[in-house]
C-alpha cells in the first residue's frame, strides 16, 4: 500500500482531475452496479452526505434502526448539520427491522401540518452494534419495495458490505441492487489507511460532490489515499473469509470461559460481542488491560458494570 501511495499518479481531485481517484471511483461504481461513485475521507461523512442529498429540505425525516451506527455513533450529524429528524425503529438481534414496523413509521401525508415528512429509509450491512450480522439481499429488496411504494429513497450504510458479501456468498451489487445510494468503507475490514466511497446515480453523486466540498472533504491530490484504497480492494477481499474463520474460533474459545458470556452462533463475520457474567470479580477495565498485555485489543461497548465488549478481526 505504501509503495502504491508513493508512486500514485495524482492531480487536483476537487477539479475532478486526479486519475487515481477517478480509477478507484470507476471501479467502485462498476462493482456495486451503480452509475457513479465518490471518494470521501470517512464513512461518517459519506453517510451524512448521502442523507443530506436525499433529505434536501430541513425538517424532513429518515427511518433508521435504533442501534444503527448512523443513529448512535455519528454525533447526530444528520440533525445538527442537516436539520434531518431521525425516526428510529427497533433493530432485531440480527440487525434487521421488522418490515411492518418500517412501514408503520412512514408519516402519512395527511399529517404534514404537524409531522416531519419521511424521505428516506436507512439500513446497515453488516450491522455493527448487532455484532456484524448480515442483511440478506432478499430482506434488502423487501425494504426497497416498501420505499418505492411510498416514494422514498433507500440508503445502505455498507461500511462492512464486503464482509457481508463474503459471508453470504452474494455479490456486492446484488446486496445493493435495491438501494438508491450506499456507503462502502475501505479502511475497516479491507485495511486501507483512510477512506470510504459513496455510490449512486450520476445525479446523486453530482450533488454529493458539492456537499463533500461544503463539509471540508474536498481534497486535492487525493490519489495518494485512493492508491492505498485500490490495493485494499484488489488484495484484501479474498482475506475476509479467513478473518471470519478466526473470529468464529476465537468466539468458540471465549465460550469456554465461565466468567464470560457469548452467543457464538451469532458470529457471522469479523466482529465478536461478549459480556462479563454477573458475579464475576473482574472489571471491564481490568479485562481490557489483561487482554492488551497478551496482544489482544478489546473495546468496552457498554459503560455498565457487567461490561459488553467488541472485538474485530481485519486484514492487514
Amino acid at each position: 500500500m505504501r509503495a502504491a501511495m508513493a508512486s500514485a499518479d495524482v492531480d487536483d481531485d476537487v477539479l475532478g482531475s486526479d486519475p487515481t481517484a477517478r480509477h478507484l471511483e470507476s471501479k467502485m461504481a462498476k462493482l456495486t452496479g451503480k452509475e457513479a461513485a465518490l471518494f470521501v475521507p470517512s464513512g461518517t461523512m459519506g453517510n451524512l452526505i448521502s442523507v443530506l442529498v436525499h433529505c434536501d429540505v430541513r425538517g424532513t425525516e429518515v427511518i433508521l434502526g435504533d442501534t444503527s451506527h448512523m443513529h448512535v455513533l455519528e454525533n447526530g450529524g444528520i440533525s445538527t448539520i442537516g436539520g434531518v429528524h431521525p425516526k428510529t425503529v427497533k433493530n432485531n438481534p440480527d440487525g434487521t427491522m421488522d418490515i411492518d414496523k418500517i412501514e408503520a413509521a412512514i408519516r402519512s401525508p395527511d399529517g404534514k401540518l404537524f409531522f416531519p415528512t419521511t424521505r428516506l429509509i436507512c439500513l446497515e450491512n453488516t450491522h455493527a452494534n448487532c455484532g456484524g450480522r448480515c442483511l440478506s439481499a432478499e430482506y434488502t429488496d423487501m425494504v426497497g419495495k416498501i420505499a418505492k411504494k411510498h416514494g422514498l429513497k433507500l440508503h445502505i450504510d455498507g461500511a462492512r458490505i464486503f464482509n457481508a458479501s463474503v459471508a453470504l456468498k452474494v455479490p456486492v451489487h446484488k446486496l445493493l441492487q435495491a438501494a438508491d445510494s450506499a456507503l462502502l468503507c475501505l479502511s475497516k475490514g479491507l485495511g486501507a489507511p483512510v477512506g470510504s466511497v459513496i455510490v449512486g446515480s450520476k445525479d446523486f453523486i453530482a450533488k454529493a460532490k458539492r456537499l463533500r466540498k461544503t463539509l471540508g472533504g474536498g481534497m486535492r491530490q487525493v490519489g495518494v489515499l485512493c492508491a492505498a484504497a485500490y490495493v485494499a480492494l484488489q488484495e484484501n477481499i479474498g482475506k475476509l473469509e479467513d478473518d471470519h474463520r478466526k473470529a468464529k474460533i476465537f468466539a468458540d474459545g471465549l465460550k469456554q470461559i465461565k466468567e464470560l458470556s457469548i452467543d457464538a452462533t451469532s458470529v457471522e463475520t469479523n466482529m465478536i460481542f461478549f459480556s462479563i457474567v454477573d458475579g464475576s470479580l473482574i472489571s471491564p477495565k481490568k479485562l481490557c488491560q489483561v487482554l492488551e498485555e497478551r496482544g489482544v485489543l478489546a473495546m468496552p461497548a457498554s459503560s455498565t458494570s457487567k461490561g459488553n465488549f467488541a472485538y474485530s478481526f481485519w486484514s492487514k
Side-chain angles (χ1 to χ4, degrees), residues 7-27 220-224 226-227 230:
S7 61
D9 187 9
V10 300
D11 206 320
D12 192 328
D13 184 55
V14 171
L15 301 179
S17 304
D18 191 295
T20 305
R22 291 203 306 267
H23 181 57
L24 175 67
E25 289 166 350
S26 176
K27 174 72 174 179
R220 300 294 178 175
Q221 289 75 37
V222 75
V224 172
C226 292
Y230 190 78

Side-chain angles (χ1 to χ4, degrees), residues 89-120:
V89 173
K90 182 177 175 58
N91 278 117
N92 297 315
D94 64 358
T96 63
M97 297 176 282
D98 291 344
I99 297 293
D100 60 338
K101 291 181 180 178
I102 293 175
E103 191 159 22
I106 299 171
R107 303 287 188 176
S108 169
D110 296 338
K112 63 183 178 181
L113 182 62
F114 303 99
F115 305 129
T117 301
T118 309
R119 285 284 187 88
L120 178 66

Side-chain angles (χ1 to χ4, degrees), residues 54-75:
H54 294 306
C55 301
D56 56 353
V57 176
R58 293 180 69 84
T60 51
E61 190 167 72
V62 54
I63 296 171
L64 72 176
D66 66 336
T67 63
S68 65
H69 195 280
M70 289 177 64
H71 182 59
V72 178
L73 295 169
E74 297 185 10
N75 295 111

Side-chain angles (χ1 to χ4, degrees), residues 93-94 130-134 247-248 251-252 255 262-269 271-273:
D94 64 358
C130 289
R133 303 294 292 271
C134 303
K248 289 179 174 64
D252 287 339
K255 193 176 180 180
I262 182 173
D263 177 8
T265 63
S266 70
V267 179
E268 296 180 351
T269 54
M271 301 186 75
I272 301 167
F273 279 56

